[in-house]
């Protein structure tokens, strides 16, 4: 009887120890799985953060490269435009200098040949010429201003019309200068004709 009780007690203790072991094992397994999941989630978040940082660095580098390329293109365009404008200015200045020299030579010859008659006519002629020249210059300046304003507005609207607008401005300025030179030549010829008619009388 005593042996039976001892065996029952040992079986009961073994059963309780086994249940306690199974409980501890299940708890340890759940804790291990939770820790593994936490480690994997931490590693995944670190990978996502590093990938995001790498993407942002790559985008910044690409943006900087695009900005440098655009900046170099814009600087090249500005240099080309400045060179073309300087060349046009030099051509116009040389033409104007040549016209001025020819006009001054012709005027000097007229003055040397007809000094006495021209002295009386010069005052009236210069006054009238200055008024007409002022009117012509005023009209030319107005047309140039309108052309330049139109050019600026069209340039802001579209860069493709820049060459056409520059050609219009140059054409209008040349036309105004041609009209002014033609007007001066006609006035000079009229004055010479008047002087010839006065001599004939």
């Amino acid at each position: 009887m005593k042996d039976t009780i001892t065996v029952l007690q040992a079986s009961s203790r073994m059963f309780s120890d086994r249940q306690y072991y199974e409980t501890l094992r299940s708890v340890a397994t759940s804790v291990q799985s939770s820790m593994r999941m936490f480690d994997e989630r931490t590693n995944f978040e670190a990978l996502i953060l590093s990938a995001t940082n790498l993407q942002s660095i790559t985008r910044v580098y690409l943006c900087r490269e695009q900005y440098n390329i655009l900046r170099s293109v814009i600087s090249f365009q500005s240099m080309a435009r400045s060179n073309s404008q300087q060349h046009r200015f030099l051509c116009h200045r040389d033409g104007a200098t040549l016209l001025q020299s020819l006009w001054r030579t012709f005027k000097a010859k007229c003055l040397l040949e007809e000094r006495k008659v021209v002295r009386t006519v010069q005052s009236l002629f210069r006054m009238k010429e200055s008024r007409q020249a002022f009117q012509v210059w005023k009209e030319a300046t107005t047309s140039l201003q309108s052309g330049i304003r139109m050019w600026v507005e069209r340039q802001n609207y579209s860069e493709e019309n820049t060459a056409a607008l520059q050609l219009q401005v140059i054409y209008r300025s040349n036309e105004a200068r041609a009209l002014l030179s033609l007007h001066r030549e006609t006035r000079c010829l009229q004055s010479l004709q008047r002087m010839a008619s006065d001599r004939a009388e």
Side-chain angles (χ1 to χ4, degrees):
M1 185 71 180
K2 188 175 181 180
D3 294 332
T4 305
I5 292 170
T6 303
V7 169
L8 288 174
Q9 288 178 352
S11 298
S12 142
R13 289 175 183 171
M14 187 180 294
F15 180 75
S16 63
D17 290 337
R18 183 171 291 177
Q19 285 184 346
Y20 180 71
Y21 172 74
E22 292 292 335
T23 304
L24 287 177
R25 184 178 179 183
S26 63
V27 170
T29 304
S30 63
V31 169
Q32 286 177 356
S33 64
S34 298
M35 290 298 293
R36 288 173 184 171
M37 188 181 296
F38 178 74
D39 291 335
E40 290 177 356
R41 185 174 293 175
T42 304
N43 293 326
F44 180 71
E45 289 179 354
L47 287 173
I48 289 175
L49 182 62
S50 61
T52 305
N53 292 327
L54 183 61
Q55 287 178 354
S56 64
I57 292 168
T58 306
R59 288 171 183 169
V60 169
Y61 176 75
L62 292 175
C63 290
R64 286 181 180 175
E65 289 295 325
Q66 290 178 357
Y67 173 75
N68 291 326
I69 292 169
L70 289 174
R71 188 175 180 183
S72 62
V73 169
I74 290 168
S75 63
F76 179 74
Q77 288 178 353
S78 65
M79 289 174 64
R81 289 173 183 169
S82 64
N83 289 328
S84 63
Q85 290 177 359
Q86 187 175 4
H87 180 68
R88 288 195 189 95
F89 172 73
L90 292 174
C91 291
H92 293 164
R93 188 181 66 181
D94 294 336
T97 305
L98 181 62
L99 288 173
Q100 286 178 358
S101 63
L102 292 174
W103 170 250
R104 287 170 182 171
T105 304
F106 177 74
K107 190 174 179 181
K109 288 181 180 179
C110 292
L111 287 172
L112 290 173
E113 291 176 357
E114 302 293 338
R115 183 177 294 177
K116 291 181 181 180
V117 180
V118 171
R119 283 180 183 176
T120 57
V121 177
Q122 274 182 349
S123 60
L124 297 174
F125 177 74
R126 286 176 182 175
M127 184 171 62
K128 194 171 182 180
E129 186 184 9
S130 62
R131 287 181 181 177
Q132 291 178 354
F134 175 75
Q135 292 295 328
V136 172
W137 278 109
K138 187 177 180 181
E139 292 175 359
T141 305
T142 305
S143 64
L144 284 173
Q145 286 178 353
S146 64
I148 290 170
R149 288 173 184 169
M150 188 183 296
W151 179 76
V152 171
E153 290 177 358
R154 287 186 181 178
Q155 188 181 18
N156 291 329
Y157 177 74
S158 176
E159 292 183 355
E160 295 178 356
N161 295 326
T162 305
L165 291 173
Q166 288 179 354
L167 288 174
Q168 287 178 0
V169 172
I170 292 168
Y171 177 76
R172 288 175 182 172
S173 63
N174 289 330
E175 187 178 5
R177 288 177 182 173
L179 288 172
L180 181 60
S181 63
L182 182 62
H183 181 72
R184 287 181 176 176
E185 289 178 359
T186 53
R187 287 296 178 184
C188 184
L189 290 174
Q190 287 178 1
S191 65
L192 291 174
Q193 288 177 359
R194 288 176 185 174
M195 289 162 55
S197 63
D198 292 336
R199 280 185 177 181
E201 291 177 357

